[in-house]
Amino acid sequence: MQDNGSVRTVINSIETFAGSIVTKQSKVKFKTMIARISILILLLTLLPDLYIYMRYPRQRRDITLWMHLLWWVPGAAMLACTAVYSMMRNFAPNNLTLFNVYLFMIGLLIVPKVIFTLASLAGMAVKRLLKQRKNWGNHTGLVLVLGWLYVLFMGTMVGPDQLHVKRVTLEFDNLPQAFDGYRIVQISDMHLGSMKQEFARRIVAQVNELHPDALLFTGDLLNMRPQEAVSFTATLIHLHPVDGIFSVLGNHDYADYVRTATAEQRSEMERLTRSLEGSMNWDLLLNERRILRRGADSIVIAGTENDGRPPFPAKADYRKALHGISPESFVIMMQHDPSAWRRHILPQTKAQLTLSGHTHGGQLSLFGWRPTSVVNTEDAGLYKEGNRYLYVSTGVGAFIPFRFHMKPEVVEITLKVKKSPSQPSPSGRA
């Protein structure tokens, strides 16, 4: 393992570079996270406010002018904040504290009004259709609002800290006998720019308690900038799996989210990200593979760069990652984006097990439904195609610290040889 001096060298480089990136600005125009949906936020702020005001406060004759004006203050404040954040040059601000407060206030002030308005309008339609005397949609809306507030507070205050271990056992016909019982721990999507130090220490303690043979990190160490990881290096260097730590880059680990940087600075940011993982003794696989041996038997750990659909980076090279590897070898593929499994990994490789992250399981599960399942066939958990597996980790962190019934997970995967009395015990070489 590299000593703390090498870690400090990388940290000093990152801190120096962080200062220079603020002083130089590029001319690249880029829609920020809020700018992309600013019109939607505008409509969702104004229209429910207008509907509720016309239905209730405006009908009250005992309300003063100041109280009428007060009704519009929260919405006006949210619109002003939205305007400010939509004009930022980068995807999100450097300091996420106020930004997260803004997002929380959207959930607290805007979403409940949207829910109530939709329920009230639906109730009004039913009332007219069935010629009822009451608009039961108003009552339904209030119940739904209370339910949403429960989701909001639990997802913000409790969910992100509920770290748990997910244990999976997988059997393979062609797993080399020497690797029967081999234990892998997968962690993904740390998003250190949004993570608490205490939670990072819990992750490290939990992983070390499992005593894995290998630790595989499947991308998104950062939110946007390598300096986010500076304060976490002293914690992460205490991970000690037997055969080492292998990692790949996720979409957030590239410099695509910092548009105030010049092309040269973005290149430097990516270099520092790679150096940072190396200084922590993480073996970063950039379309590469490593061979793990147990006597005459071996397995392959392959890792490709992010292979996402637009607008995410697509830099994977599977042929390069598996160059020189026998088709009979047992291959574990690391790829951040699970959508690549059906698009490229299944048709282009013979990898028996693929490990991914990226989706966070939508960070929300309501009665088993996840928002990411709408656009991703494989978005959380274990999937099988023939005798090949994909495990999509829900991750341990998130850019926005919110999770409801979608706990941060450390995944322990035990590899087993499938017992077949008619066949000899498998063995293989890379």
Side-chain angles (χ1 to χ4, degrees):
M1 177 175 290
Q2 300 184 33
D3 58 24
N4 288 340
S6 63
V7 176
R8 174 48 55 189
T9 299
V10 176
I11 289 175
N12 290 339
S13 298
I14 291 173
E15 289 175 336
T16 301
F17 178 72
S20 68
I21 198 172
V22 175
T23 62
K24 297 182 180 180
Q25 305 234 336
S26 71
K27 296 181 180 179
V28 178
K29 293 184 179 180
F30 177 70
K31 284 192 174 183
T32 69
M33 176 181 178
I34 298 303
R36 294 176 180 181
I37 57 173
S38 58
I39 294 178
L40 178 62
I41 296 177
L42 171 68
L43 294 175
L44 294 181
T45 302
L46 288 178
L47 295 181
D49 265 4
L50 183 62
Y51 173 80
I52 297 173
Y53 176 76
M54 296 298 291
R55 298 285 298 176
Y56 298 101
R58 190 170 183 272
Q59 305 299 325
R60 296 282 300 272
R61 298 187 179 278
D62 57 335
I63 295 181
T64 65
L65 176 61
W66 286 108
M67 295 178 69
H68 281 281
L69 293 175
L70 189 62
W71 167 259
W72 297 99
V73 170
M78 293 304 299
L79 290 176
C81 291
T82 300
V84 170
Y85 281 122
S86 66
M87 290 187 292
M88 290 186 307
R89 302 279 313 272
N90 291 328
F91 182 74
N94 296 352
N95 190 327
L96 291 176
T97 302
L98 289 178
F99 186 67
N100 287 331
V101 171
Y102 163 75
L103 295 176
F104 179 80
M105 295 309 292
I106 288 179
L108 185 64
L109 298 177
I110 296 178
V111 175
K113 294 176 184 178
V114 172
I115 292 173
F116 178 82
T117 298
L118 292 176
S120 181
L121 289 171
M124 188 183 301
V126 171
K127 175 185 174 183
R128 292 179 180 178
L129 181 65
L130 301 180
K131 298 181 179 179
Q132 296 177 337
R133 298 184 61 183
K134 278 190 175 183
N135 181 351
W136 291 101
N138 293 338
H139 302 280
T140 303
L142 290 175
V143 172
L144 292 176
V145 166
L146 290 176
W148 163 251
L149 292 177
Y150 173 78
V151 170
L152 176 65
F153 281 94
M154 291 295 292
T156 303
M157 308 299 182
V158 179
D161 294 325
Q162 293 183 313
L163 182 67
H164 82 298
V165 177
K166 180 70 175 291
R167 290 181 168 87
V168 179
T169 300
L170 301 177
E171 295 185 341
F172 299 92
D173 292 322
N174 61 340
L175 178 69
Q177 186 66 46
F179 288 87
D180 186 33
Y182 194 83
R183 291 186 305 111
I184 294 168
V185 165
Q186 178 195 9
I187 57 176
S188 191
D189 298 87
M190 296 193 77
H191 289 275
L192 293 178
S194 303
M195 184 171 287
K196 301 173 184 176
Q197 283 284 352
E198 182 274 335
F199 192 67
R201 288 191 288 269
R202 284 176 55 195
I203 293 171
V204 171
Q206 182 63 79
V207 171
N208 287 338
E209 185 179 316
L210 295 173
H211 301 290
D213 292 300
L215 174 61
L216 275 58
F217 176 74
T218 46
D220 275 4
L221 178 70
L222 311 171
N223 280 336
M224 296 186 295
R225 301 168 179 83
Q227 60 265 31
E228 296 166 357
V230 167
S231 61
F232 291 89
T233 53
T235 298
L236 296 178
I237 59 174
H238 292 296
L239 291 165
H240 301 303
V242 176
D243 290 332
I245 304 171
F246 304 92
S247 65
V248 293
L249 298 178
N251 55 290
H252 279 268
D253 296 322
Y254 297 90
D256 294 347
Y257 292 88
V258 183
R259 298 296 176 164
T260 55
T262 64
E264 181 180 347
Q265 288 173 327
R266 288 197 293 274
S267 177
E268 179 68 2
M269 286 175 66
E270 292 187 18
R271 186 191 70 77
L272 287 173
T273 298
R274 289 158 171 74
S275 298
L276 183 65
E277 295 200 15
S279 71
M280 296 186 299
N281 206 35
W282 291 27
D283 191 352
L284 179 60
L285 303 181
L286 302 172
N287 298 321
E288 299 170 292
R289 68 273 167 208
R290 301 290 184 264
I291 300 174
L292 303 182
R293 302 186 184 277
R294 292 286 188 274
D297 290 342
S298 63
I299 63 173
V300 177
I301 306 292
T304 53
E305 294 200 56
N306 195 76
D307 186 9
R309 294 173 292 203
F312 301 117
K315 301 185 178 184
D317 188 334
Y318 298 98
R319 179 173 295 183
K320 179 182 177 182
L322 296 175
H323 178 72
I325 299 299
S326 167
E328 288 75 35
S329 298
F330 186 89
V331 176
I332 299 173
M333 179 67 70
M334 301 171 62
Q335 166 53 234
H336 179 67
D337 196 316
S339 70
W341 190 55
R342 292 196 181 276
R343 288 188 291 110
H344 293 142
I345 296 174
L346 287 179
Q348 294 184 21
T349 79
K350 294 185 180 297
Q352 291 88 342
L353 172 62
T354 299
L355 301 180
S356 297
H358 183 57
T359 67
H360 306 181
Q363 298 179 216
L364 171 72
S365 178
L366 294 174
F367 307 105
W369 177 83
R370 301 179 299 272
T372 46
S373 64
V374 176
V375 294
N376 295 281
T377 307
E378 294 86 19
D379 71 307
L382 184 66
Y383 301 90
K384 184 178 182 182
E385 184 73 27
N387 60 351
R388 303 169 70 182
Y389 291 94
L390 165 70
Y391 191 88
V392 183
S393 170
T394 60
V396 291
F399 180 76
I400 300 173
F402 172 92
R403 286 180 180 264
F404 183 79
H405 287 179
M406 190 54 62
K407 297 178 181 179
E409 66 177 18
V410 172
V411 186
E412 181 188 60
I413 300 175
T414 302
L415 307 181
K416 300 290 291 183
V417 175
K418 183 178 290 186
K419 303 302 180 182
S420 177
S422 61
Q423 296 180 356
S425 298
S427 64
R429 296 183 180 179

